[in-house]
Amino acid sequence: MTGCSVGALVAGAHLLGILPELEKWARELSPLGALKEFEFRLSKAGVIDPQSAFEIFKPADKNIEDLSIPLGISATDLATGEEVQLTTGSVIDAARASSAIPIIFPAARLDGASGDLWLVDGALTNPVPVDLARQLGAEKIIAVDLHARSRTLDRFDPPKTRALTVRHEPDIQSSNVLPQQVTAFVNKTRSYVEEQVALAKAKIGAEPHFVETGIASLDIFQMHLSRAKMAQTTTDILLAPDLRAFPPTAFDCPDEMITLGYETTMDAKADLLALVTTA
């Protein structure tokens, strides 16, 4: 098994036998819970410190070389800009390094042969490490590409946003024809719609802030890098769920993303069964 970023977390948790615990923990996260678990703080290193979250799973940690199935985790060396393939050492530490999203999470420090390495998200150099899987001996490849569709800032797409129009109508008054409860419901609904339209108009007039610009730019880059990497290799099955509705910080949406992943996998069920039953 190989992976980077969240793929490293899932692969590592699976091979450590704590995938159910990881899923349970993820399902319990809420926006406030995410800040609590990840220790939200603004510093020169990053916006969120994930150390406390990773400490939860430390008791189950093992060295990669002691696992029952070969594991390779891809990270990126800040000093050289090159991919670092982690195939030994702590599973938790490797997953932590591979999932260090720039700007959001601080870089992770690991011991290297010639000194400390400062590592960040493996998706910067190898979003879908198929080549690493083959190096480790895989003969059939089922790849999951989370960057197939970029999370661009579609709220700044003029054809979609400039067509909004607003009409202000006076409140409907109750009468013998429309009881008070009905008119109250209609007026409340109208107020809600007008609020949403006003919010949409505010978004149209807003400028991208530096965090969302950075995240969107990173995601666009990873989309094109993923396409280029995938064009250089072959997979037996490629699963590409559409995650455009979920930003990298959507820690409070595990159920929706798990469902999407399940549906994407079920769409490929026939091909998957054919692959695993082929001699």
Side-chain angles (χ1 to χ4, degrees), residues 118-154:
W118 285 100
L119 304 178
V120 291
D121 199 332
L124 291 174
T125 47
N126 199 354
V128 190
V130 172
D131 52 348
L132 180 53
R134 293 201 184 279
Q135 291 174 32
L136 293 176
E139 297 177 354
K140 299 178 180 180
I141 303 289
I142 302 171
V144 180
D145 185 0
L146 303 184
H147 302 285
R149 299 174 178 85
S150 172
R151 303 177 189 88
T152 55
L153 301 183
D154 57 1

Side-chain angles (χ1 to χ4, degrees), residues 31-217:
L32 290 178
L35 298 184
K36 210 178 298 179
E37 293 288 354
F38 288 103
E39 192 177 339
F40 180 83
R41 61 178 176 81
L42 186 61
S43 73
K44 63 180 181 180
V47 176
I48 298 175
D49 183 357
Q51 192 58 38
S52 58
F54 282 99
E55 288 298 326
I56 297 174
F57 303 103
K58 269 291 187 182
D61 196 15
K62 294 180 182 178
N63 284 335
I64 295 175
E65 56 268 36
D66 296 330
L67 298 172
S68 59
I69 296 174
L71 173 66
I73 290 177
S74 175
T76 301
D77 188 343
L78 270 181
T80 65
E82 299 295 330
E83 178 188 5
V84 175
Q85 296 179 342
L86 303 172
T87 56
T88 60
S90 161
V91 173
I92 298 294
D93 289 348
R96 157 75 178 89
S98 180
S99 57
I101 303 172
I103 301 175
I104 303 299
F105 298 133
R109 183 171 63 184
L110 288 184
D111 294 332
S114 57
D116 288 344
L117 295 175
W118 285 100
L119 304 178
V120 291
D121 199 332
L124 291 174
T125 47
N126 199 354
V128 190
V130 172
D131 52 348
L132 180 53
R134 293 201 184 279
Q135 291 174 32
L136 293 176
E139 297 177 354
K140 299 178 180 180
I141 303 289
I142 302 171
V144 180
D145 185 0
L146 303 184
H147 302 285
R149 299 174 178 85
S150 172
R151 303 177 189 88
T152 55
L153 301 183
D154 57 1
R155 69 187 176 95
F156 296 102
D157 181 14
K160 294 180 181 178
T161 57
R162 300 300 190 265
L164 286 173
T165 57
V166 184
R167 293 182 60 189
H168 296 283
E169 300 288 346
D171 284 352
I172 295 174
Q173 303 300 316
S174 59
S175 66
N176 293 332
V177 179
L178 292 176
Q180 184 177 358
Q181 293 87 343
V182 175
T183 56
F185 172 77
V186 171
N187 291 329
K188 184 176 180 181
T189 301
R190 176 177 293 161
S191 297
Y192 173 78
V193 171
E194 289 180 353
E195 287 176 4
Q196 294 304 306
V197 171
L199 179 62
K201 290 183 68 177
K203 287 183 177 180
I204 291 173
E207 296 180 355
H209 57 70
F210 83 98
V211 173
E212 71 173 349
T213 298
I215 291 175
S217 300

Side-chain angles (χ1 to χ4, degrees), residues 14-32:
H14 172 68
L15 294 179
L16 289 175
I18 57 172
L19 191 57
E21 288 80 359
L22 178 66
E23 180 178 337
K24 180 177 182 294
W25 173 77
R27 287 182 182 276
E28 291 173 350
L29 283 178
S30 63
L32 290 178

